[in-house]
Amino acid sequence: MTQHDTAEAAREFLERTGLEPTLNRILVLSAVAAGQRPMTAAEVHARILREHRINRVTVYRILDLLAEKGAVNRFSTNERVQHYCVGSNHSHFHCTGCGRVQCIANEKLHFDETAVANALNLAVSHVDLHLEGLCPACARAAG
Ligand SMILES: [Zn+2]
Ligand SMILES: [Zn+2]
């Protein structure tokens, strides 16, 4: 799934995934897809609340369902907070200063899937590296 921010794209994606495209599911998936970085369930809820009424438990339940169906990525940082984002085969950077997480295209890591697959003798089909450190703002503050 590529980044998108339209309800129509979310509806089509849900149908392809075999999920009934209910309004709440469309709202949740659109909110995650529109995010500039991975969001926590609380952040997804807050984003939807700007324009729609939706209950927190509903958002959490739908996020779980979407993650189980592979419609969104779900991963946790070492703070045990679940984050959600869209897009396949990419890695994540977690800033240990401010706690923010961002998606990193594997191409930016000069990552060679074939070389790793050969080295490990494993048929690697998906790579999601977990990177940790300080974002530029936190690195400046740490001086
Ligand atoms: Zn930071
Ligand atoms: Zn991501």
Side-chain angles (χ1 to χ4, degrees), residues 93-100 133-139:
F93 175 80
H94 172 222
C95 176
T96 53
C98 59
R100 287 191 171 208
L134 295 176
C135 72
C138 289

Side-chain angles (χ1 to χ4, degrees), residues 39-126:
M39 287 186 283
T40 63
E43 288 171 334
V44 173
H45 186 213
R47 177 182 278 266
I48 297 171
L49 282 181
R50 289 186 208 157
E51 291 177 24
H52 301 272
R53 293 172 68 103
I54 190 166
N55 136 343
R56 192 178 67 93
V57 176
T58 303
V59 171
Y60 282 50
R61 213 181 50 227
I62 292 174
L63 281 171
D64 277 341
L65 174 72
L66 294 176
E68 277 157 29
K69 297 286 183 181
V72 300
N73 307 313
R74 175 176 55 193
F75 60 94
S76 58
T77 63
N78 56 5
E79 281 138 25
R80 303 273 174 264
V81 182
Q82 300 279 10
H83 286 77
Y84 301 86
C85 69
V86 298
S88 60
N89 233 349
H90 62 268
S91 296
H92 295 102
F93 175 80
H94 172 222
C95 176
T96 53
C98 59
R100 287 191 171 208
V101 179
Q102 64 186 89
C103 301
I104 309 276
N106 283 341
E107 298 82 66
K108 282 193 182 171
L109 301 171
H110 302 290
F111 187 82
D112 187 341
E113 235 166 66
T114 312
V116 169
N118 289 342
L120 301 175
N121 196 24
L122 295 170
V124 176
S125 62
H126 177 92

